[in-house]
Amino acid sequence: MSVSASEQFASDNYSGVCPQAWNAMAEANRMDEPAYGEDRWTQRAADGLRALFDTDCDVYFVFNGTAANSLALAAIGQSFHSVICHELAHIETDECGGPEYASNGAKLLLGQGPNGKLTPESIEHLVTKRTDIHYPKPKAVSLTQATEVGTLYTPEELKAIRDVADRHRLSIHMDGARFVNAVAALDVHPAEITWKAGVDVLCFSGTKNGLAMGEAVVFFNHDLAEDFEWRCKQAGQLASKMRFISAPWCGLLEQDVWLENARHANACAARLEAGLRDLPNVTIRYPRQANGVFVDLPETVQSALRDRGWRFYNFIGGCARLMCSWSTTEAQVDRFLADVRALLLE
């Protein structure tokens, strides 16, 4: 029996708007408000993020993650600089040269490390392999939390990277497309894996956590935020009706809805992993630490699952990437697992 198109594990981008975010946007629609971020909702959301991180920080809202990452990295360096990132990082594999475009040509230097994570040794190698004027000068390290393969940087790992960055005067940017899932999985205060671990700027995603659109660029290093609002304007990222981006953030932040959404998505992924782990001819490719399961399934099974209506992507090395979101249900997970088991036994 086929399933509906809404029952999918393709991406947490497929999910709708969570009720609390929707209600906050409806509330913001009740009356006129000043434009371009001068409204009370934007101030409230920015203050909510400062409270969340327990520190004073500069907060800007943009439409999407590519803009957030690209503009944040452009704020760190100039066109003759370079950014060190993992070879599987989203800014390298999935942003169509956005960081290079926004910075007017800064180069990405690709490092390595197991399970999608940069190591201090890899960063050290890229910084020191050349120091001549013909080589783009390293200026920043970009870390993805959670990584593209669903793994997590611990506070200790982040601090070790900060030590290398300090030796070479590098800023640290964090691509937090699934930052909420990392916080939930590590069970830490958000400050412990950002500014307390030496992160200078975080691109904090709301889209994957229950918003229709809207990412927060959070500068813990105030110096890097200089003139950032002009950078946003020039790049077409200054929303005139900003409250419809910022108000849903208020819905996420109040009563820790963001955290409950993340915990739910992670729990669904854990249920999915547990159901797949002991099946024949099935191999979990990467450690399941957040809301994604990366699994090797026989091609015939993958094809048959899609024939039954299931949607999911093939990812690095051909494995199936199964993503859970705030709206994934246990029943949905169990139906998928039942179909996998049935197909493996045919």
Side-chain angles (χ1 to χ4, degrees), residues 69-70 72-74 76-86 89 91-92 99-100 103 105-111 118 126-127 135-143 170-173:
N69 287 329
S70 300
L73 289 169
I76 291 174
Q78 300 187 55
S79 59
F80 51 84
H81 286 134
S82 57
V83 176
I84 295 169
C85 65
H86 195 277
I91 61 169
E92 160 63 13
E100 296 93 329
S103 64
K107 185 176 178 60
L108 300 183
L109 302 179
L110 306 184
L118 268 179
L126 288 169
V127 174
Y135 188 69
K137 184 179 180 180
K139 190 68 173 179
V141 175
S142 179
L143 306 173
L170 304 174
S171 298
I172 295 182
H173 158 265

Side-chain angles (χ1 to χ4, degrees), residues 232-305:
C232 290
K233 172 63 178 179
Q234 185 183 63
Q237 290 295 316
L238 178 63
S240 57
K241 296 185 179 181
M242 183 72 79
R243 69 187 186 278
F244 294 114
I245 291 180
S246 57
W249 274 96
C250 297
L252 281 187
L253 293 170
E254 291 175 3
Q255 299 182 340
D256 289 337
V257 170
W258 66 275
L259 185 57
E260 290 306 309
N261 284 352
R263 285 172 174 164
H264 174 80
N266 290 359
C268 286
R271 186 183 186 93
L272 186 58
E273 178 200 23
L276 291 168
R277 180 165 293 281
D278 296 325
L279 294 178
N281 299 315
V282 173
T283 304
I284 305 297
R285 177 76 69 90
Y286 300 103
R288 199 287 313 161
Q289 295 182 323
N291 64 318
V293 181
F294 296 78
V295 59
D296 289 305
L297 294 168
E299 289 293 334
T300 53
V301 172
Q302 293 191 44
S303 178
L305 285 168

Side-chain angles (χ1 to χ4, degrees), residues 19-29 41 243 247-252:
Q20 297 87 345
W22 188 273
N23 291 339
M25 187 159 56
E27 183 66 22
N29 193 45
W41 292 96
R243 69 187 186 278
W249 274 96
C250 297
L252 281 187

Side-chain angles (χ1 to χ4, degrees), residues 40-61:
R40 59 194 171 101
W41 292 96
T42 300
Q43 183 64 51
R44 183 171 150 192
D47 287 343
L49 286 167
R50 294 182 187 104
L52 177 67
F53 288 101
D54 195 24
T55 191
D56 184 29
C57 47
D58 294 311
V59 179
Y60 303 88
F61 296 99

